[in-house]
Amino acid sequence: YGEPRLTQDIDIVVAIQQTEVAELFKVLTPEFLVEHAAIEAAVQSGQLFQGLDQETFLKVDFHVNGSIRGEFQRSVTIELFPGVSVPIASKCDAIISKLLWVRAGSGKSREDIVGMLRDPEPVDQALLLELAEEHGVGDILGEIRKELR
């Protein structure tokens, strides 16, 4: 969604419980530099932990358990490469995530939202407003919508 650009990292939302930390660490460590304690802390706090791909040196932010109500259920599956399908955030949830980054000071995320709202792919406007209000970013959404008029 939004305007394509080169990025310095990849963001992945993972659903994980404390009892699964050791298994996730085991799965990640052949490919990623990651700290077991960082995964544990992220799961306890509901925050993120980072991993560094050892081949490409690409940084991956693993966001633990998401922060937007129902985002896993609304994910959509896309074919990333022939034969490789992955779930991604719905357009509505991507906008909410970007609104949260705008609130934290990201100007680039604001531009992304403008691009997503201009894009003809539909978004559930009622749900978007409900979630924006729920996360305290309804005012920012309103400002951006006014800019688009």
Side-chain angles (χ1 to χ4, degrees):
Y1 309 105
E3 186 176 316
R5 65 177 185 266
L6 293 176
T7 184
Q8 290 97 4
D9 67 4
I10 295 175
D11 295 291
I12 298 175
V13 179
V14 293
I16 182 172
Q17 303 299 316
Q18 195 67 41
T19 57
E20 301 166 311
V21 168
E23 183 62 27
L24 179 61
F25 180 75
K26 182 179 173 184
V27 168
L28 290 176
T29 51
E31 306 294 327
F32 290 91
L33 292 174
V34 63
E35 295 179 14
H36 190 277
I39 300 172
E40 284 183 327
V43 171
Q44 288 174 350
S45 66
Q47 298 297 312
L48 66 85
F49 67 93
Q50 297 178 327
L52 183 68
D53 182 284
Q54 296 187 71
E55 183 177 329
T56 64
F57 298 105
L58 186 65
K59 181 175 70 89
V60 178
D61 292 335
F62 294 91
H63 300 265
V64 175
N65 296 327
S67 61
I68 304 167
R69 174 183 46 85
E71 69 182 308
F72 287 115
Q73 293 78 16
R74 285 187 299 274
S75 67
V76 293
T77 301
I78 64 162
E79 187 171 35
L80 191 59
F81 304 108
V84 178
S85 296
V86 296
I88 65 167
S90 71
K91 185 175 181 178
C92 180
D93 293 321
I95 293 170
I96 296 299
S97 178
K98 295 289 185 177
L99 285 165
L100 294 170
W101 281 109
V102 169
R103 183 176 65 193
S106 172
K108 187 61 183 160
S109 290
R110 188 179 195 93
E111 293 173 26
D112 289 339
I113 295 166
V114 168
M116 287 187 268
L117 291 174
R118 284 187 175 148
D119 181 73
E121 181 183 328
V123 62
D124 183 335
Q125 294 294 328
L127 178 61
L128 180 60
L129 182 58
E130 177 185 331
L131 290 171
E133 293 295 336
E134 189 176 301
H135 288 276
V137 292
D139 57 332
I140 300 169
L141 178 60
E143 290 170 13
I144 295 171
R145 283 180 165 164
K146 282 181 185 175
E147 292 171 13
L148 292 173
R149 292 183 189 148

